[in-house]
Amino acid sequence: MLTVTDGSKNLVRAINNRLSALSFHIREYYWVDMKKMNEIYRYKTEEYSLDATNKFNIYPEQIPLWLMDWIPEEGGYLIGNLQPAHMDFRFFTLGNLWSVISSLSTPKQNEAILNLIEGKWNDIVGHMPLKICYPALENEEWRIITGSDPKNT
């Protein structure tokens, strides 16, 4: 939407540099597939250095049991949230589809996301329109996880 002119050239260059860094960060740190889960299982925790493998101090025990059985071998997806020592492993359908449409994810990641949706069609679609999040939070879990923010009910 921004026309490149002499006045906007520097802004366009800054945006492109920023988008490149952001895309790398999301593709690298928010991506999960079987290969990535195997890496996480081997992580050492409490690493604090520029060359640490486990940059966010993720504990391997955090990988939910349902994920190992749920994710197809040829599938993968972008997780919903990443914080120090915490990853939200739920599959957020809308965000992953937008990453495909917008080319935020790589072509290989796009294929893995679509493979996951196809392979887990009954869990994600079933007899209803596409579920926004799988697995959904149940009962009062949303209060604990979101800090009782009413807009998240």
Side-chain angles (χ1 to χ4, degrees), residues 45-136:
T45 53
E46 308 300 331
E47 285 186 303
Y48 301 99
S49 70
L50 292 175
D51 54 345
T53 308
N54 188 359
K55 296 191 184 321
F56 298 98
N57 239 355
I58 302 302
Y59 291 85
E61 309 80 61
Q62 283 188 323
I63 299 175
L65 297 175
W66 62 265
L67 186 58
M68 293 304 290
D69 295 328
W70 189 75
I71 192 167
E73 189 69 38
E74 65 285 343
Y77 65 99
L78 295 168
I79 61 173
N81 197 358
L82 173 63
Q83 302 169 19
H86 177 72
M87 295 175 96
D88 184 348
F89 285 100
R90 290 177 295 157
F91 175 71
F92 289 87
T93 309
L94 193 58
N96 276 271
L97 287 174
W98 272 114
S99 74
V100 171
I101 292 167
S102 68
S103 298
L104 176 60
S105 43
T106 67
K108 187 176 177 181
Q109 288 173 333
N110 292 342
E111 186 175 343
I113 291 167
L114 296 175
N115 285 341
L116 182 137
I117 292 171
E118 183 179 22
K120 295 301 176 178
W121 188 261
N122 286 335
D123 291 338
I124 299 170
V125 179
H127 301 292
M128 299 295 291
L130 213 59
K131 292 179 185 163
I132 298 296
C133 175
Y134 181 86

Side-chain angles (χ1 to χ4, degrees), residues 31-47:
W31 181 253
V32 68
D33 58 7
M34 285 301 225
K35 180 179 178 236
K36 185 65 162 192
M37 283 192 294
N38 284 325
E39 287 175 24
I40 294 171
Y41 271 122
R42 291 188 201 94
Y43 277 170
K44 296 175 183 163
T45 53
E46 308 300 331
E47 285 186 303

